[in-house]
Amino acid sequence: MTLAPKELSNLLSIISEEACTNTFESLSTHFHHYFGKAEHFRVGSVLVMLLQQPDLLPSSPQRLTALYLLWEMYRTEPLAANPFAAVFAHLLNPAPAGEEQEKVLSGFLPPITQPEKFFLSQLMLAPPRDLFKKTPRQVSCMDVGNMPQSIDISGLQLALAERQSELPTQSKASFPSILNDPDPDSSNSGFDSSVANQIIESLVTGPRPPLESHFRPEFIRPPPPLHVCEDELAWLNPTEPDHSVQWDRSMCVKNSTGVEIKRIMSKAFKSPLSAQQQSQLLAELEKDPKLVYHIGLSPAKLPDLVENNPLVAIEMLLKLMQSSQITEYFSVLVNMDMSLHSMEVVNRLTTAVDLPPEFIHLYISNCISTCEQIKDKYMQVGHSTVTVPASDQMLVPVPLLNSDLSPPEPPGPSGLRLPPVPDPKQDHQRPGPVHRGPGLLHRVQPHPRSRRPLPPPQDPGHRRKPHRGQTRQIMLRSETLHRKQT
Amino acid sequence: MTDQEKEMAASAYEAFSAGKYDESLKHLEALQELNKEDYKISMNKAVVEFYKSGQTTTGTLKQTLMAMKNQVHTSAEDVDGLDDVENSLLYYNQAIIHYHMRQYSEAISIGEKLYQFLEPFEEKFAQAVCFLLVDLYLLTFQPEKALHLLAVLDKLSVQGNNKNGKGENNSSNKDGANQRAEFTAMIEAAKSKMHQYKVRAYIQMKSSKACKREIKSVMNTAGNSAPSLFLKSNFEYLRGNYRKAVKLLNSSNIAEHPGPIKTGECVRCMFWNNLGCIHFAMGKHNLGIFYFKKALQENDHTCAQLGDAKKFTGIPMCALLANKRYELLYNCGIQLLHIGRPLAAFECLMEAVQVYHSNPRLWLRLAECCISANKGGSEQESKGLPCKKGIVQSIVGQGYHRKIVLASQSTQNTIYRSVSEADKFLSAAPSSPLRKQEVENLRCSILACSAYVALALGDNLMALNHAEKLLHQTKVSGSLKFLGHLYAAEALISLDRISDAITHLNPENVSDVSMGVLSSEQDQGLSHVCSVYAAGKQTPLCYPSSVTSARAMMLFNLGSAYCLRSEYDKARKCLHQAASMVNTKEIPPEAILLGVYLELQNGNTQLALQIIKRNQLLPTAVQRVSPDSRKKPVQPFQLPSSFTQVQRK
């Protein structure tokens, strides 16, 4: 928006005191010679600024020139479309004589003389052509006593008000930021055009000239304080790390037994091993507890081993208990198809080690659902035979299915007496699959409802909930089995 | 495998263990003649050569190992997990090299793979793998994982002891028993190391109770070594016992440390750096910067000794880790920012951010640098109000536009980052990871900065958005809440929603201007830092220090808002009330300009000029509310006394 110094000096030459002897018409020609349409607004802004500063534009003819140019630049357009129309309206706005003195500063536009006012109002109306044949100096000396003093500009004011209402409040509230502050001590020095021109130049040229800035209530905007936090800086601790490249001691130590064992293992995944192979494998495992990690038993291969050689699988799993991957082996075991062999493996595991409760939980529910799906009665019997002692075993260390954690009631005359559980140790030592035969189930059969009073139904939607200790827990299981059988 | 080969392998190893590398190489070469298939012979050869060079040929070894790995994988097509057990040492050695080249994520991925097969390994090797992983987890600020692994290590050592007992019973296997004994000795040595690791992990997790317990164990096992003393100092520093921390640092005998070439650690540099941290926390920023610079000098000195570390040759492998430049630059940058030198801070942090690019707090700090640099600029502009003949320059200048844009970018980066990944612990290398509460605080600060930057850029909608988000945060500190209201109001004003803005400017909105947010860490009390830190810190110049001054600031802004609605009487009242609330010296320039504005609006140019020249609000300016007073002619350049007289009339 700034004027280049050259442009400014051109403008100043047009509105200079000396140029006021030219007619308005010739001033206009000069003006259009120097400035194209694109510059008009910038030039206009400067002119308004000069009008606001009486010390910079002291004489009446100069003011007339400035006003004329402001009007002339946009004469082809409707008056209200002139961006500086507000200036005209303000200057023409009749103010009561008494308050003239104070009004001076309200818009920073000093009042104008009567001839100026007359001239301006002529511009507002359709100006007679011969008006522009006069010079600014002539107009400034006109006797305007008998001329009409005020004209009706309410139409213009209305249009201006309308336009202003579209502006944001903030921009309407602005003042120009150039404020007069004459130094009282040097007030006698009078007007010096070269000094004035210097000041004008400093006001309107260069990047971000004062002309462009404006003054309005500014918000206090404190920047956010620096983020406060603890322990932000990097503290450095010596750690004396000693990680170093190592020699591989497994170089040239592969032995033949390893190969043989691997061979046996690969067979074990496919078919049952002979008694001799089995004992050889187990013996090697006993010799080197780490061997189990080297023989290729990945969790994915576990089901094959379980189906074909449950005994080997048990021994291997027991050796793998310390492995970080043991949970993966377990989850494979839980999710594999239910079979007598897998149940047997789980059963043996429960007797030998503490299994994670969630594993047992999952396993039993799997068992039950498998049992329910099996059509063959004989198979059911077989399955439940294994399941019952298994679940019993599992429930003794962890009352997991039991939502009620009250201390277990010893199985007494009030409760159902379960068949004696085989001693885990004894069971563990006995090789071969667990077979207890159907006779076991007959002892479970007595219906609990016939023997003891029912607890009050707590949850009708749910199967009767055992609420006291392990005895009833097991009771529930046997009842389920019983229901399935009859 | 023939017995001859086994014998040769054994003697090669023996020679290697004894440090007779040439002899070992001879054995290995002979072995290679017999057995062309086992790549492990070539690997051991490479290892021996590496040791022979004084561990300086890291780059070469890396390439050799890489080639071997490719070879192994092409030859053994099915990777069944089994082969990985077989090739564990190859992987381990690779991980070691990655670790020393600071390629931590690669090292971790290899280490975690090895960890899956931990059981088959002999105890010593398993332990080495675990220790490497623990170190890596701590270096990458994953203390929970490190602790988990340390628990595994504990278990491992217990097992080892049990087995050892068993071995004695059997005693048939003499070799095994020897190995067990060796292992037990190693476990003992490792014990104090484990305690140290645990302390480091707990420090990162900021759990002070556990930390205290472990510190004790450390001091019991390795009393006066530099690592233990530094750790204890770190602990005391975090608890706010700065004197004690300094004392501990001083008691470590850093002069006798073997130096970075041997150990890969420049203890002197760490010493200065830590002193810097302590003084920063104490609010002694000048000393802080002094020590950080010293640390940087020390580091540069070390680096000069090491030569060009990028080539990975010519210096021992461990020394590759000695350079701590980026940590130091980070610290330096933060310190410079707090000392009020944002541009220098920016330079430091920009370099640091190349390495720690995923640290949201660092990005926030960069944004703060930009804001503070920009702020400084406009402050300078506003300082001298040029009152030359007929010229008063208005305030407000932006300057440094480039920087602001940059600020905007970085804060936005930060926001996206923290919003997307802000759960539980947020990593903030090179400092300890942030806890949930800290992340929330960070988010608040980021939102405040974003709102501020958006305002400065004229992006009012965005500013309003950020400010409202800030106000909606559950645990926003009093001061930021205050700023949130201010920023929201300013944005609303610019959006021509003045009534909404005025509701934000209700002084009752401010009830607390504390900067620190009360952190919820009754259980893990390393909270001292926060309070002491905040106390030692100078509040920024223009920042309200009390509720009253914050309210005054709100009132000033409320006055401006009323002005815009042409409610000048209300504006005057606000201005008057606010001015009475604060010290005359604390009245911000904006408020003075508001006074000027009001006078100009009233037509009292002279009075307005007076206000500007004296750079203070004049009592009459506020009193001249009644419409009658406008008629009184105002004399230019009246003295304040005459104003009071006018006032009495």
Side-chain angles (χ1 to χ4, degrees), chain B residues 38-88:
Chain B
D38 199 346
Y39 80 93
K40 287 174 185 174
I41 303 173
S42 351
M43 179 166 84
N44 281 343
K45 240 177 101 183
V47 169
V48 175
E49 268 158 5
F50 175 67
Y51 274 96
K52 199 181 147 192
S53 76
Q55 306 195 36
T56 55
T57 53
T58 316
T60 325
L61 183 61
K62 185 186 180 187
Q63 278 166 4
T64 317
L65 292 180
M66 191 56 120
M68 277 177 198
K69 191 194 156 206
N70 291 338
Q71 188 197 330
V72 167
H73 267 280
T74 46
S75 62
E77 281 295 293
D78 71 318
V79 185
D80 203 5
L82 215 70
D83 294 296
D84 287 329
V85 177
E86 297 288 304
N87 302 324
S88 54

Short mmCIF file of all heavy atoms in Angstrom, two decimals, chain B residues 38-88:
data_model
loop_
_atom_site.label_atom_id
_atom_site.label_comp_id
_atom_site.label_asym_id
_atom_site.label_seq_id
_atom_site.Cartn_x
_atom_site.Cartn_y
_atom_site.Cartn_z
N ASP B 38 30.88 -76.22 8.17
CA ASP B 38 30.40 -75.48 9.33
C ASP B 38 30.79 -74.01 9.23
O ASP B 38 31.96 -73.65 9.31
CB ASP B 38 30.98 -76.09 10.61
CG ASP B 38 30.18 -75.67 11.82
OD1 ASP B 38 29.38 -74.72 11.68
OD2 ASP B 38 30.35 -76.28 12.88
N TYR B 39 29.78 -73.17 9.03
CA TYR B 39 30.08 -71.74 8.90
C TYR B 39 30.61 -71.17 10.21
O TYR B 39 31.19 -70.10 10.27
CB TYR B 39 28.85 -70.96 8.45
CG TYR B 39 27.89 -70.67 9.57
CD1 TYR B 39 27.98 -69.46 10.27
CD2 TYR B 39 26.90 -71.57 9.94
CE1 TYR B 39 27.12 -69.19 11.31
CE2 TYR B 39 26.04 -71.31 10.99
CZ TYR B 39 26.16 -70.11 11.66
OH TYR B 39 25.30 -69.84 12.71
N LYS B 40 30.35 -71.88 11.29
CA LYS B 40 30.73 -71.34 12.59
C LYS B 40 32.24 -71.19 12.72
O LYS B 40 32.73 -70.39 13.51
CB LYS B 40 30.19 -72.24 13.71
CG LYS B 40 28.69 -72.08 13.85
CD LYS B 40 28.09 -73.02 14.83
CE LYS B 40 26.59 -72.86 14.80
NZ LYS B 40 25.93 -73.85 15.63
N ILE B 41 32.95 -72.01 11.95
CA ILE B 41 34.41 -71.87 11.97
C ILE B 41 34.79 -70.51 11.42
O ILE B 41 35.57 -69.77 12.02
CB ILE B 41 35.06 -73.00 11.14
CG1 ILE B 41 34.62 -74.35 11.68
CG2 ILE B 41 36.57 -72.86 11.17
CD1 ILE B 41 35.07 -75.52 10.85
N SER B 42 34.17 -70.13 10.30
CA SER B 42 34.51 -68.82 9.74
C SER B 42 34.05 -67.71 10.67
O SER B 42 34.69 -66.67 10.77
CB SER B 42 33.89 -68.61 8.35
OG SER B 42 33.33 -69.77 7.87
N MET B 43 32.92 -67.94 11.31
CA MET B 43 32.45 -66.88 12.20
C MET B 43 33.43 -66.70 13.36
O MET B 43 33.80 -65.58 13.69
CB MET B 43 31.07 -67.18 12.77
CG MET B 43 30.63 -66.08 13.72
SD MET B 43 28.92 -66.14 14.13
CE MET B 43 28.94 -67.32 15.45
N ASN B 44 33.84 -67.79 13.94
CA ASN B 44 34.79 -67.67 15.04
C ASN B 44 36.09 -67.03 14.56
O ASN B 44 36.73 -66.28 15.28
CB ASN B 44 35.05 -69.03 15.67
CG ASN B 44 33.91 -69.40 16.62
OD1 ASN B 44 33.14 -68.54 17.03
ND2 ASN B 44 33.81 -70.67 16.96
N LYS B 45 36.43 -67.35 13.32
CA LYS B 45 37.62 -66.71 12.76
C LYS B 45 37.45 -65.20 12.71
O LYS B 45 38.33 -64.43 13.10
CB LYS B 45 37.87 -67.25 11.34
CG LYS B 45 39.22 -67.93 11.19
CD LYS B 45 39.37 -68.50 9.80
CE LYS B 45 40.22 -67.58 8.93
NZ LYS B 45 40.33 -68.07 7.54
N ALA B 46 36.28 -64.81 12.24
CA ALA B 46 36.01 -63.37 12.17
C ALA B 46 36.05 -62.75 13.57
O ALA B 46 36.57 -61.64 13.76
CB ALA B 46 34.66 -63.12 11.52
N VAL B 47 35.52 -63.49 14.52
CA VAL B 47 35.50 -62.98 15.90
C VAL B 47 36.93 -62.82 16.41
O VAL B 47 37.29 -61.80 17.00
CB VAL B 47 34.70 -63.93 16.82
CG1 VAL B 47 34.90 -63.56 18.28
CG2 VAL B 47 33.23 -63.87 16.47
N VAL B 48 37.76 -63.82 16.16
CA VAL B 48 39.14 -63.75 16.62
C VAL B 48 39.86 -62.58 15.96
O VAL B 48 40.57 -61.81 16.62
CB VAL B 48 39.88 -65.07 16.32
CG1 VAL B 48 41.35 -64.93 16.71
CG2 VAL B 48 39.26 -66.21 17.07
N GLU B 49 39.62 -62.42 14.68
CA GLU B 49 40.28 -61.31 13.98
C GLU B 49 39.83 -59.96 14.54
O GLU B 49 40.61 -59.02 14.67
CB GLU B 49 40.00 -61.39 12.48
CG GLU B 49 41.09 -62.16 11.75
CD GLU B 49 40.62 -62.72 10.42
OE1 GLU B 49 39.47 -62.43 10.02
OE2 GLU B 49 41.40 -63.46 9.79
N PHE B 50 38.56 -59.91 14.86
CA PHE B 50 38.02 -58.68 15.44
C PHE B 50 38.71 -58.36 16.77
O PHE B 50 39.13 -57.23 17.03
CB PHE B 50 36.51 -58.85 15.66
CG PHE B 50 35.85 -57.70 16.35
CD1 PHE B 50 35.76 -56.45 15.74
CD2 PHE B 50 35.29 -57.85 17.60
CE1 PHE B 50 35.15 -55.40 16.38
CE2 PHE B 50 34.66 -56.81 18.25
CZ PHE B 50 34.59 -55.57 17.63
N TYR B 51 38.86 -59.39 17.59
CA TYR B 51 39.54 -59.17 18.87
C TYR B 51 41.01 -58.82 18.66
O TYR B 51 41.59 -58.03 19.38
CB TYR B 51 39.40 -60.40 19.77
CG TYR B 51 38.12 -60.37 20.57
CD1 TYR B 51 36.99 -61.04 20.13
CD2 TYR B 51 38.06 -59.65 21.75
CE1 TYR B 51 35.81 -61.00 20.86
CE2 TYR B 51 36.88 -59.59 22.48
CZ TYR B 51 35.76 -60.27 22.03
OH TYR B 51 34.61 -60.21 22.74
N LYS B 52 41.58 -59.46 17.66
CA LYS B 52 42.98 -59.21 17.37
C LYS B 52 43.21 -57.74 17.00
O LYS B 52 44.22 -57.15 17.35
CB LYS B 52 43.41 -60.13 16.22
CG LYS B 52 44.92 -60.32 16.13
CD LYS B 52 45.23 -61.21 14.94
CE LYS B 52 46.54 -60.79 14.32
NZ LYS B 52 46.74 -61.44 13.02
N SER B 53 42.23 -57.18 16.34
CA SER B 53 42.37 -55.77 15.95
C SER B 53 42.07 -54.83 17.11
O SER B 53 42.02 -53.62 16.90
CB SER B 53 41.43 -55.46 14.79
OG SER B 53 40.12 -55.34 15.29
N GLY B 54 41.85 -55.39 18.27
CA GLY B 54 41.50 -54.53 19.40
C GLY B 54 40.05 -54.05 19.31
O GLY B 54 39.73 -52.95 19.74
N GLN B 55 39.22 -54.84 18.72
CA GLN B 55 37.79 -54.55 18.54
C GLN B 55 37.55 -53.26 17.76
O GLN B 55 36.60 -52.53 18.03
CB GLN B 55 37.07 -54.45 19.89
CG GLN B 55 37.27 -55.67 20.76
CD GLN B 55 36.26 -55.71 21.89
OE1 GLN B 55 35.12 -55.32 21.72
NE2 GLN B 55 36.69 -56.20 23.05
N THR B 56 38.44 -53.00 16.84
CA THR B 56 38.28 -51.74 16.12
C THR B 56 37.67 -51.92 14.73
O THR B 56 37.37 -50.94 14.07
CB THR B 56 39.63 -51.02 15.95
OG1 THR B 56 40.53 -51.92 15.34
CG2 THR B 56 40.17 -50.58 17.29
N THR B 57 37.51 -53.16 14.30
CA THR B 57 37.03 -53.36 12.92
C THR B 57 35.55 -53.69 12.91
O THR B 57 35.11 -54.65 12.28
CB THR B 57 37.81 -54.48 12.24
OG1 THR B 57 37.75 -55.63 13.11
CG2 THR B 57 39.25 -54.11 12.03
N THR B 58 34.79 -52.86 13.61
CA THR B 58 33.36 -53.13 13.75
C THR B 58 32.66 -53.24 12.40
O THR B 58 31.85 -54.14 12.18
CB THR B 58 32.72 -52.00 14.57
OG1 THR B 58 33.56 -51.70 15.66
CG2 THR B 58 31.37 -52.42 15.08
N GLY B 59 32.98 -52.31 11.52
CA GLY B 59 32.32 -52.30 10.23
C GLY B 59 32.55 -53.57 9.45
O GLY B 59 31.62 -54.17 8.90
N THR B 60 33.79 -54.02 9.45
CA THR B 60 34.13 -55.24 8.72
C THR B 60 33.39 -56.44 9.29
O THR B 60 32.80 -57.23 8.55
CB THR B 60 35.65 -55.52 8.83
OG1 THR B 60 36.32 -54.28 8.84
CG2 THR B 60 36.12 -56.41 7.72
N LEU B 61 33.41 -56.54 10.60
CA LEU B 61 32.76 -57.67 11.24
C LEU B 61 31.27 -57.67 10.91
O LEU B 61 30.68 -58.72 10.64
CB LEU B 61 32.95 -57.60 12.75
CG LEU B 61 32.36 -58.77 13.53
CD1 LEU B 61 33.00 -60.07 13.11
CD2 LEU B 61 32.52 -58.57 15.03
N LYS B 62 30.71 -56.49 10.90
CA LYS B 62 29.28 -56.40 10.61
C LYS B 62 28.98 -56.99 9.24
O LYS B 62 28.05 -57.78 9.07
CB LYS B 62 28.83 -54.95 10.65
CG LYS B 62 27.34 -54.80 10.47
CD LYS B 62 26.90 -53.37 10.36
CE LYS B 62 25.38 -53.34 10.17
NZ LYS B 62 24.89 -52.01 9.90
N GLN B 63 29.82 -56.62 8.29
CA GLN B 63 29.58 -57.12 6.93
C GLN B 63 29.77 -58.62 6.84
O GLN B 63 28.98 -59.33 6.21
CB GLN B 63 30.52 -56.40 5.96
CG GLN B 63 29.96 -55.04 5.58
CD GLN B 63 30.98 -54.16 4.91
OE1 GLN B 63 32.10 -54.59 4.65
NE2 GLN B 63 30.59 -52.93 4.65
N THR B 64 30.81 -59.11 7.51
CA THR B 64 31.06 -60.55 7.48
C THR B 64 29.86 -61.31 8.04
O THR B 64 29.39 -62.29 7.44
CB THR B 64 32.30 -60.88 8.34
OG1 THR B 64 33.30 -59.92 8.06
CG2 THR B 64 32.80 -62.27 8.06
N LEU B 65 29.38 -60.84 9.17
CA LEU B 65 28.26 -61.53 9.82
C LEU B 65 27.02 -61.48 8.95
O LEU B 65 26.27 -62.45 8.84
CB LEU B 65 27.97 -60.89 11.18
CG LEU B 65 29.04 -61.08 12.25
CD1 LEU B 65 28.62 -60.39 13.54
CD2 LEU B 65 29.30 -62.55 12.51
N MET B 66 26.82 -60.34 8.33
CA MET B 66 25.66 -60.19 7.45
C MET B 66 25.72 -61.22 6.32
O MET B 66 24.73 -61.89 6.04
CB MET B 66 25.68 -58.77 6.86
CG MET B 66 24.41 -58.39 6.16
SD MET B 66 23.02 -58.59 7.27
CE MET B 66 22.42 -56.94 7.31
N ALA B 67 26.89 -61.34 5.73
CA ALA B 67 27.06 -62.30 4.63
C ALA B 67 26.77 -63.71 5.14
O ALA B 67 26.08 -64.49 4.48
CB ALA B 67 28.48 -62.21 4.09
N MET B 68 27.26 -64.02 6.34
CA MET B 68 27.03 -65.35 6.89
C MET B 68 25.57 -65.61 7.10
O MET B 68 25.06 -66.70 6.85
CB MET B 68 27.75 -65.49 8.22
CG MET B 68 29.20 -65.85 8.04
SD MET B 68 29.97 -65.90 9.63
CE MET B 68 31.66 -65.80 9.14
N LYS B 69 24.89 -64.60 7.58
CA LYS B 69 23.47 -64.79 7.87
C LYS B 69 22.71 -65.09 6.59
O LYS B 69 21.87 -65.99 6.54
CB LYS B 69 22.91 -63.52 8.51
CG LYS B 69 21.53 -63.74 9.06
CD LYS B 69 20.85 -62.43 9.39
CE LYS B 69 19.35 -62.65 9.36
NZ LYS B 69 18.64 -61.42 9.07
N ASN B 70 23.04 -64.35 5.55
CA ASN B 70 22.37 -64.61 4.27
C ASN B 70 22.65 -66.03 3.80
O ASN B 70 21.75 -66.73 3.32
CB ASN B 70 22.85 -63.61 3.23
CG ASN B 70 22.34 -62.22 3.56
OD1 ASN B 70 21.35 -62.07 4.27
ND2 ASN B 70 23.04 -61.21 3.06
N GLN B 71 23.88 -66.45 3.97
CA GLN B 71 24.28 -67.78 3.54
C GLN B 71 23.50 -68.83 4.31
O GLN B 71 22.93 -69.77 3.75
CB GLN B 71 25.77 -67.92 3.81
CG GLN B 71 26.40 -69.17 3.25
CD GLN B 71 27.74 -69.40 3.93
OE1 GLN B 71 28.40 -68.45 4.33
NE2 GLN B 71 28.13 -70.65 4.05
N VAL B 72 23.41 -68.66 5.63
CA VAL B 72 22.70 -69.62 6.47
C VAL B 72 21.26 -69.73 6.04
O VAL B 72 20.69 -70.81 5.95
CB VAL B 72 22.79 -69.20 7.96
CG1 VAL B 72 21.80 -69.99 8.78
CG2 VAL B 72 24.19 -69.41 8.46
N HIS B 73 20.69 -68.59 5.75
CA HIS B 73 19.28 -68.62 5.44
C HIS B 73 18.97 -69.21 4.09
O HIS B 73 17.92 -69.80 3.91
CB HIS B 73 18.67 -67.22 5.57
CG HIS B 73 18.12 -67.02 6.93
ND1 HIS B 73 16.89 -67.50 7.31
CD2 HIS B 73 18.65 -66.44 8.02
CE1 HIS B 73 16.70 -67.23 8.57
NE2 HIS B 73 17.76 -66.59 9.03
N THR B 74 19.89 -69.06 3.16
CA THR B 74 19.61 -69.68 1.87
C THR B 74 19.83 -71.19 1.95
O THR B 74 19.12 -71.95 1.32
CB THR B 74 20.51 -69.09 0.76
OG1 THR B 74 21.84 -69.03 1.27
CG2 THR B 74 20.03 -67.71 0.34
N SER B 75 20.77 -71.59 2.77
CA SER B 75 21.03 -73.03 2.84
C SER B 75 19.94 -73.75 3.62
O SER B 75 19.52 -74.83 3.24
CB SER B 75 22.40 -73.28 3.47
OG SER B 75 22.41 -72.80 4.78
N ALA B 76 19.49 -73.17 4.69
CA ALA B 76 18.43 -73.82 5.45
C ALA B 76 17.11 -73.14 5.13
O ALA B 76 16.79 -72.10 5.69
CB ALA B 76 18.73 -73.71 6.94
N GLU B 77 16.39 -73.77 4.22
CA GLU B 77 15.20 -73.12 3.71
C GLU B 77 14.12 -72.98 4.78
O GLU B 77 13.62 -71.89 5.04
CB GLU B 77 14.64 -73.90 2.50
CG GLU B 77 15.39 -73.63 1.22
CD GLU B 77 15.26 -72.19 0.76
OE1 GLU B 77 14.14 -71.79 0.39
OE2 GLU B 77 16.26 -71.46 0.75
N ASP B 78 13.80 -74.10 5.42
CA ASP B 78 12.70 -73.99 6.38
C ASP B 78 13.22 -73.46 7.71
O ASP B 78 14.07 -74.07 8.36
CB ASP B 78 11.99 -75.34 6.54
CG ASP B 78 12.82 -76.34 7.29
OD1 ASP B 78 14.06 -76.41 7.01
OD2 ASP B 78 12.27 -77.05 8.14
N VAL B 79 12.74 -72.30 8.03
CA VAL B 79 13.16 -71.70 9.29
C VAL B 79 12.14 -72.15 10.33
O VAL B 79 11.05 -71.61 10.45
CB VAL B 79 13.18 -70.17 9.18
CG1 VAL B 79 13.73 -69.57 10.46
CG2 VAL B 79 14.02 -69.74 8.00
N ASP B 80 12.52 -73.16 11.06
CA ASP B 80 11.54 -73.82 11.91
C ASP B 80 11.72 -73.45 13.36
O ASP B 80 11.15 -74.05 14.25
CB ASP B 80 11.69 -75.33 11.73
CG ASP B 80 10.40 -76.03 12.12
OD1 ASP B 80 9.43 -75.32 12.40
OD2 ASP B 80 10.38 -77.26 12.14
N GLY B 81 12.52 -72.45 13.60
CA GLY B 81 12.78 -72.13 14.99
C GLY B 81 13.99 -72.90 15.46
O GLY B 81 14.79 -72.43 16.24
N LEU B 82 14.13 -74.07 14.93
CA LEU B 82 15.23 -74.92 15.33
C LEU B 82 16.56 -74.32 14.88
O LEU B 82 17.52 -74.24 15.64
CB LEU B 82 15.05 -76.27 14.67
CG LEU B 82 15.52 -77.42 15.51
CD1 LEU B 82 14.57 -77.59 16.68
CD2 LEU B 82 15.57 -78.67 14.67
N ASP B 83 16.56 -73.88 13.64
CA ASP B 83 17.81 -73.34 13.10
C ASP B 83 18.22 -72.09 13.84
O ASP B 83 19.39 -71.80 13.96
CB ASP B 83 17.61 -73.04 11.62
CG ASP B 83 17.39 -74.32 10.87
OD1 ASP B 83 18.30 -75.14 10.85
OD2 ASP B 83 16.27 -74.50 10.34
N ASP B 84 17.22 -71.39 14.33
CA ASP B 84 17.57 -70.17 15.03
C ASP B 84 18.29 -70.49 16.34
O ASP B 84 19.14 -69.74 16.77
CB ASP B 84 16.33 -69.33 15.28
CG ASP B 84 15.85 -68.69 14.00
OD1 ASP B 84 16.71 -68.39 13.14
OD2 ASP B 84 14.64 -68.53 13.84
N VAL B 85 17.91 -71.59 16.93
CA VAL B 85 18.63 -71.99 18.14
C VAL B 85 20.07 -72.32 17.76
O VAL B 85 21.02 -71.92 18.44
CB VAL B 85 17.96 -73.21 18.79
CG1 VAL B 85 18.76 -73.65 19.99
CG2 VAL B 85 16.55 -72.87 19.19
N GLU B 86 20.21 -73.00 16.66
CA GLU B 86 21.55 -73.38 16.22
C GLU B 86 22.41 -72.14 15.93
O GLU B 86 23.59 -72.12 16.21
CB GLU B 86 21.45 -74.22 14.94
CG GLU B 86 20.74 -75.53 15.13
CD GLU B 86 21.58 -76.51 15.91
OE1 GLU B 86 22.71 -76.77 15.50
OE2 GLU B 86 21.10 -76.99 16.96
N ASN B 87 21.75 -71.15 15.35
CA ASN B 87 22.53 -69.99 14.90
C ASN B 87 22.49 -68.84 15.88
O ASN B 87 22.75 -67.69 15.52
CB ASN B 87 21.98 -69.51 13.56
CG ASN B 87 22.04 -70.60 12.53
OD1 ASN B 87 22.98 -71.39 12.52
ND2 ASN B 87 21.03 -70.69 11.68
N SER B 88 22.16 -69.15 17.11
CA SER B 88 21.92 -68.07 18.07
C SER B 88 23.12 -67.13 18.21
O SER B 88 22.95 -65.92 18.33
CB SER B 88 21.56 -68.65 19.41
OG SER B 88 22.57 -69.55 19.81
#
